[in-house]
Amino acid sequence: MTPVDQEFLHKPEEGQYGDCQRAVIASLLDLPASEVPHFNGIAKGEPCAFWDALQGFLRSKGFVYLTVPARSGSAFFGDDGDVFHEISGPSPRGNGSFHAVVACNGQIVHDPHPSRAGLAGDPATWEFSYLVKP
C-alpha cells in the first residue's frame, strides 16, 4: 500500500466532487492518482454511475469491490499477514457526505484528506470494503 492523497475536496455546490475514493483505490493498488478515474467526478452525484465506473475500473485490474458492515468486517482479516482495505463512514467535516480512508486490519492507516481527521460517527456503522480477486 502506497499512500495517495486526494486532489479534490468535496464541494458539489461549486461543481467539484471529492476524490477520496480515487485516492484510496490508488493507495490500495499502489498506483498514482492519475492512473485511477475520478469516480465522483464522472458520476456527478449519480450513485449508479459512480458504482459502474468504480466496478468497471476494478474489473479491468482483475478485482471486484466488496463491501461489508464494519461489525462483520474482521472476518476478512488474515491470520497470515496484514489485510489493507477501505473504511467508509460519515465525513468529520459535518457536510453530510461520506468519506473513505485506507485501513489495515480494521485500523485507519491513511486518510487521503488534507485534514487527516479520519471518519466521524459510530465505528460500528462504518463499512469495510475489500478489493477481491473474483
Side-chain angles (χ1 to χ4, degrees):
M1 190 281 293
T2 305
V4 174
D5 291 334
Q6 67 185 85
E7 294 180 33
F8 302 100
L9 300 180
H10 194 62
K11 300 177 186 175
E13 67 283 355
E14 298 175 16
Q16 179 174 293
Y17 296 87
D19 67 338
C20 61
Q21 184 79 49
R22 171 170 77 159
V24 168
I25 298 298
S27 297
L28 293 172
L29 293 176
D30 294 312
L31 294 172
S34 61
E35 292 185 25
V36 178
H38 181 0
F39 307 111
N40 276 327
I42 292 167
K44 297 187 181 352
E46 176 19 65
C48 289
F50 171 86
W51 290 111
D52 287 348
L54 176 67
Q55 290 288 19
F57 172 75
L58 288 173
R59 288 296 298 210
S60 77
K61 298 294 184 187
F63 295 96
V64 295
Y65 184 84
L66 173 70
T67 301
V68 298
R71 62 187 176 276
S72 64
S74 63
F76 289 85
F77 303 151
D79 294 331
D80 297 330
D82 293 331
V83 176
F84 288 93
H85 59 96
E86 175 187 307
I87 300 178
S88 59
S91 168
R93 283 157 290 287
N95 56 8
S97 295
F98 275 74
H99 183 52
V101 298
V102 179
C104 182
N105 300 331
Q107 301 299 312
I108 296 172
V109 295
H110 175 63
D111 181 350
H113 190 275
S115 73
R116 306 289 192 243
L119 301 173
D122 179 359
T125 66
W126 296 350
E127 294 182 328
F128 289 4
S129 298
Y130 303 89
L131 306 186
V132 179
K133 292 274 188 186

